[in-house]
Amino acid sequence: MINGIKPLERSLRWGMVGGGGTSQIGYIHRSAALRDGTFSLLAGAFDIDAQRGRLFGQSLGIAAERCYPDYATLFREEAARVDGIEAVSIATPNNTHFAICQAALAAGLHVVCEKPLCFTVEEAQALVELSQKQHKIIGVTYGYAGHQLILQARQMIADGLLGEIRIINMQFAHGFHAAAVELDNPSTRWRVDPRFVGPSYVLGDLATHPLFLAETMVPQLKVKRLMCSRQSFVKTRAPLEDNAYVLMEYDNGAVGSLWCSAVNSGSMHGQKVRVVGEKASLEWWDEQPNQLRFEVQGEPVRILERGMPYLDPIALADDRIGGGHSEGLFEAWSNLYRRFALAMDATDRRDRNFLADFWYPDVAAGTMGVRWVENCVRSADAGASWVEFR
Ligand code: NAI
């Protein structure tokens, strides 16, 4: 159980790029990183608008001279300080992730990067190589994966409670962009512009989340081939899709489907993962993250509740308040940031034994998301053909 005792003897000196006062995602990064005392926020280049970013940083209590106009200055000036930052989080629009990640690693920083990590597998591989060369980690904020019942599902599947896995149904289908809201909303505008998001909208923005949840639950399954059909129901978004269906075949003969959509009118998030085995199924829904459905063929449905003693120790390790009390996305992100800190510390100590079994959304997970989107786009653009996964 997590009870506020710091898991490390010190706080990692931490900075942010992006995540400014007007951003959607900046606050949850800070809330999660600061929750357990594993990080101290000491510097940042928070905003594309340098003056706004400086004022925002100061309003967070950061020294004025450490609120920088841009990421290049942040990395250069901090590297010159004896007490400079050791880690940085990148929470900017997607087209900037690759360059900022590269610069951060080159400056000797550990990185937490927003998804998608970058736009091409070549870029992802370059980041993998650079992170290895620099002995620094890249964590990716697939935030929902920090919910405790995801690791419970992983353990139950590993324990064979479902039998051989046959089917994985995934979806992330909300309705918030059923109309052209980007006309009034800057945070949505860049999401439907290829200059900012590369080759895809909902495949990269939404689908990679349940894809990673399923990978976490069933890590042994590898995608063999897939087929993707994508649509732009709000016509001005073409060629970017606001809805897509993906069918997948895995190497053990299992099949998967993923529906991602921003035009699922009336739906709040609609993010679900259902894993079907030969004996039983598990289902998790991000709008009810404290419950996991366990359905054994021929028996009544069981709803497993977060924080209860019957769960596996791997799920209870991240419990913060005990069963019955609801935890949410902020706790899930805190669990991930705690893991990022432990991974950074172990990497600095070259503790290979610790890292060998330690799970967190890492650069390989980020690379898989990029690779999957690339394959989906290749399939969709070939008229929704089956393509070998490469
Ligand atoms: P946003 O548009 O609301 O905010 C972007 C922020 O980045 C703003 O503060 C902006 O001033 C700043 N910025 C832009 N370019 C910059 C630069 N070159 N240097 C410094 N700051 C810069 O975007 P939002 O929704 O916060 O998304 C940011 C990232 O987070 C995206 O990659 C998005 O995909 C990801 N995201 C991830 C989520 C998750 O669940 N992991 C959820 C929502 C967003």
Side-chain angles (χ1 to χ4, degrees):
M1 186 158 186
I2 295 172
N3 58 6
I5 295 174
K6 282 168 73 167
L8 298 174
E9 282 174 7
R10 66 198 184 91
S11 298
L12 293 157
R13 299 186 301 277
W14 177 58
M16 283 193 80
V17 178
T22 60
S23 75
Q24 181 184 20
I25 207 68
Y27 175 59
I28 199 169
H29 278 271
R30 286 183 290 279
S31 169
L34 302 178
R35 173 81 64 93
D36 296 326
T38 42
F39 293 92
S40 301
L41 182 57
L42 299 173
F46 294 99
D47 205 298
I48 189 73
D49 178 322
Q51 175 62 2
R52 206 168 53 176
R54 188 180 297 279
L55 290 175
F56 179 69
Q58 287 178 251
S59 77
L60 296 176
I62 296 169
E65 72 275 14
R66 296 179 86 173
C67 298
Y68 299 96
D70 54 66
Y71 71 86
T73 314
L74 164 73
F75 298 156
R76 190 181 62 245
E77 299 285 318
E78 286 293 310
R81 297 178 67 111
V82 287
D83 63 349
I85 57 170
E86 304 160 84
V88 68
S89 291
I90 301 168
T92 52
N94 305 357
N95 61 316
T96 62
H97 294 173
F98 176 64
I100 302 176
C101 259
Q102 228 180 5
L105 291 168
L109 300 175
H110 290 292
V111 177
V112 173
C113 187
E114 268 303 346
K115 36 57 61 174
L117 186 57
C118 50
F119 289 158
T120 68
V121 171
E122 286 70 28
E123 288 174 347
Q125 278 164 347
L127 293 176
V128 170
E129 282 163 27
L130 189 55
S131 70
Q132 286 167 348
K133 177 168 164 254
Q134 298 288 79
H135 295 289
K136 300 295 165 193
I137 74 150
I138 303 177
V140 181
T141 39
Y142 289 126
Y144 308 97
H147 285 291
Q148 294 145 45
L149 292 172
I150 302 302
L151 289 183
Q152 173 69 21
R154 175 187 176 93
Q155 192 60 46
M156 291 172 73
I157 293 166
D159 289 344
L161 295 182
L162 275 59
E164 183 75 16
I165 302 305
R166 292 175 168 168
I167 300 164
I168 308 182
N169 275 354
M170 293 156 268
Q171 65 173 63
F172 195 158
H174 68 67
F176 286 94
H177 303 163
V181 293
E182 56 268 30
L183 298 176
D184 299 318
N185 183 337
S187 196
T188 309
R189 198 171 305 140
W190 64 256
R191 283 175 158 81
V192 294
D193 182 339
R195 288 173 300 169
F196 291 90
V197 295
S200 79
Y201 167 32
V202 289
L203 288 162
D205 197 50
L206 302 177
T208 50
H209 281 295
L211 183 79
F212 181 65
L213 294 179
E215 273 169 49
T216 303
M217 291 180 187
V218 204
Q220 68 273 24
L221 290 198
K222 303 295 172 222
V223 180
K224 217 176 62 176
R225 56 181 205 140
L226 62 71
M227 188 264 268
C228 173
S229 166
R230 60 175 180 164
Q231 299 76 36
S232 316
F233 282 107
V234 174
K235 297 296 173 212
T236 46
R237 292 175 183 159
L240 297 183
E241 77 291 346
D242 50 23
N243 187 80
Y245 293 99
V246 184
L247 287 179
M248 284 172 270
E249 290 178 358
Y250 295 94
D251 56 354
N252 75 333
V255 290
S257 70
L258 199 159
W259 174 34
C260 53
S261 184
V263 296
N264 181 18
S265 303
S267 163
M268 291 303 290
H269 247 201
Q271 182 175 202
K272 287 184 183 173
V273 177
R274 181 175 177 85
V275 182
V276 180
E278 59 187 341
K279 296 190 285 195
S281 302
L282 283 170
E283 185 168 311
W284 183 84
W285 181 19
D286 85 339
E287 293 173 37
Q288 293 178 1
N290 295 279
Q291 286 83 32
L292 176 68
R293 286 176 74 93
F294 179 40
E295 304 171 13
V296 180
Q297 178 54 34
E299 297 181 16
V301 172
R302 268 168 260 185
I303 310 288
L304 307 187
E305 293 279 347
R306 190 202 61 71
M308 294 301 286
Y310 51 72
L311 298 180
D312 193 274
I314 195 175
L316 291 171
D318 287 345
D319 177 21
R320 291 169 181 270
I321 181 74
H325 305 278
S326 52
E327 289 191 10
L329 193 60
F330 278 71
E331 285 72 31
W333 275 64
S334 302
N335 295 340
L336 286 192
Y337 259 96
R338 186 184 170 90
R339 285 173 183 274
F340 293 149
L342 292 173
M344 290 173 188
D345 178 66
T347 303
D348 288 344
R349 291 186 288 101
R350 305 284 198 273
D351 188 343
R352 288 175 200 277
N353 288 340
F354 177 87
L355 291 166
D357 297 330
F358 189 64
W359 172 87
Y360 68 99
D362 60 7
V363 70
T367 303
M368 172 60 185
V370 172
R371 187 184 296 279
W372 185 84
V373 171
E374 212 173 69
N375 279 271
C376 288
V377 170
R378 189 159 54 89
S379 162
D381 290 354
S385 312
W386 282 95
V387 295
E388 295 300 312
F389 193 76
R390 63 179 196 217

